[in-house]
Amino acid sequence: MRVLLLGANGYLGRYVADHLLADPSVQLTALGRGDEADVRFDLSTGSPGALTRFLDAVHPGVVINCAGATRGGARELTRHNTVAVATVCEALRRSGCAARLVQIGCASEYGPAQPGSSTAEDAVPRPGGPYGVSKLAATELVLGSGLDAIVLRVFSPVGPGTPAGSPLGRLAEAMRRAIQGGDSELKLSGLGVQRDFVDVRDVARAVHAASLSAAQGVVNIGTGRAVRLREAAAVLARVAGFAGALHEVDAPPQSRNPLHQPTAQQLAAAGHGPVHGHLHGHGHPHGHGHSHGHVPAAVGLGAAAEGGAATPPPTAAFPYPDGCGVWQQADVRTARDRLGWRPRINLEESLADIWMEAACRI
């Protein structure tokens, strides 16, 4: 099977490439903007005609699009996430290769969900920011293209290589600094938000399954379990060996004491984070997606500028950067039924791998 992978050097693309290369039946060609790509091509500025000529030369049976941008203004996001997909769709329509298209979408296309609910593929999308809007527009282009195509709406990917600017990546970095500095406590803010975290390696398996299937339309890729960031913080502290106290500075009164009183290990043992297996999120979420580091300074987890740490006031409230409010949880029955896919890697393992990379910087 000849596969053309777009965006092979990105966070998801790297794991998709590794997974496909492990399949001896796959002949992989990587196209991207970087020097590491087999072929250099910028989807946001390149013409459909040029891409069509390349498709006709390579003649792939499957095109996987992991390319795109997660940061930037509305214009930049539209160029990289929407215009680029329009180029791919037009090139595939013109080409004689008749390739199947696997487009990587995201849960931000849905926007905020009702706490306690599971979002299915037939939910009406209401993205809460320009990133979700740009990805939703790309999905609509794919679905309306007339191509043999599937869109995988990936919820919150985590695991090794998690970007340092993501909430869990920034949390691991704050914990690394606390351990390196010998701090006895770590201030955290806005950990009540709940997300469906799915390991990036499981996402790569889903992409492979989608390449081989005949399924079309939108398919959610998640675990079906929403987890509070405060629970993830407790487990990350345990796997990191952080013996200090976790203080949640902006928790609501009913949930403040449990995080203020015990150490991280006591918190995990008390039920705020499992010792083994999947984490489970329950109940009413509060707050937003940020954490603060060394006492009394604050390190934001969510809406930091690219390449730097945010330093908002300790009790400042910022929206979780994906525009999805305080709750998101995937209904993953379609992935199970149509792709034969289920997640295998639990969140504790993903967090341990995130910490391994952070620990290397101590």
Side-chain angles (χ1 to χ4, degrees):
M1 177 173 67
R2 292 181 181 271
V3 176
L4 176 63
L5 177 59
L6 314 177
N9 298 320
Y11 175 44
L12 294 181
R14 290 195 301 271
Y15 286 95
V16 171
D18 289 345
H19 188 83
L20 292 174
L21 288 171
D23 183 347
S25 69
V26 171
Q27 300 176 47
L28 183 65
T29 301
L31 182 148
R33 289 179 290 169
D35 293 334
E36 302 88 349
D38 297 321
V39 177
R40 293 191 65 179
F41 189 88
D42 190 337
L43 292 172
S44 66
T45 58
S47 71
L51 184 57
T52 298
R53 290 190 291 275
F54 178 74
L55 289 171
D56 287 339
V58 175
H59 212 77
V62 178
V63 174
I64 300 171
N65 184 24
C66 295
T70 59
R71 297 183 182 185
R75 177 176 296 180
E76 183 179 4
L77 291 169
T78 299
R79 184 161 55 90
H80 288 289
N81 295 336
T82 310
V83 174
V85 171
T87 298
V88 173
C89 290
E90 180 60 25
L92 283 170
R93 279 194 295 264
R94 296 182 187 181
S95 172
C97 68
R100 173 172 172 78
L101 174 62
V102 179
Q103 165 71 13
I104 306 302
C106 69
S108 294
E109 298 174 41
Y110 288 120
Q114 182 67 29
S117 67
S118 292
T119 303
E121 290 84 356
D122 59 358
V124 177
R126 294 185 176 89
Y131 172 64
V133 170
S134 68
K135 293 294 287 186
L136 176 61
T139 291
E140 294 300 332
L141 285 170
V142 170
L143 297 181
S145 66
L147 299 169
D148 174 15
I150 184 171
V151 177
L152 301 183
R153 275 190 180 145
V154 178
F155 276 62
S156 298
V158 296
T162 293
S166 70
L168 289 180
R170 296 179 72 81
L171 176 59
E173 178 62 16
M175 198 162 291
R176 180 194 68 81
R177 289 197 300 270
I179 292 175
Q180 191 167 17
D183 297 330
S184 60
E185 57 184 8
L186 180 61
K187 279 191 175 182
L188 305 172
S189 173
L191 299 184
V193 68
Q194 298 185 66
R195 288 293 180 269
D196 189 333
F197 296 107
V198 58
D199 193 278
V200 66
R201 292 159 292 192
D202 281 333
V203 175
R205 289 179 40 249
V207 172
H208 193 190
S211 302
L212 299 173
S213 79
Q216 296 185 339
V218 175
V219 177
N220 289 340
I221 302 299
T223 66
R225 299 175 180 88
V227 178
R228 284 192 184 92
L229 278 180
R230 70 168 64 97
E231 297 178 17
V235 176
L236 184 60
R238 182 174 60 76
V239 300
F242 178 66
L246 301 179
H247 293 288
E248 190 173 8
V249 299
D250 63 351
Q254 62 267 35
S255 63
R256 185 173 295 153
N257 288 337
L259 267 176
H260 275 219
Q261 292 174 350
T263 65
Q265 286 82 355
Q266 291 168 333
L267 182 62
H272 290 269
V275 176
H276 301 288
H278 288 280
L279 289 170
H280 298 267
H282 306 280
H284 48 280
H286 301 275
H288 308 275
H290 302 261
S291 93
H292 298 278
H294 183 278
V295 179
V299 178
L301 269 184
E306 185 171 1
T311 55
T315 57
F318 294 88
Y320 195 89
D322 60 5
C324 295
V326 294
W327 172 276
Q328 251 198 353
Q329 177 174 281
D331 182 329
V332 293
R333 290 175 294 180
T334 302
R336 178 195 64 201
D337 297 341
R338 300 183 66 189
L339 301 182
W341 175 90
R342 297 174 187 266
R344 294 176 180 171
I345 301 173
N346 62 50
L347 182 54
E348 184 169 3
E349 182 177 344
S350 302
L351 290 170
D353 289 335
I354 291 173
W355 175 249
M356 283 290 291
E357 293 185 342
C360 290
R361 297 191 293 273
I362 293 180

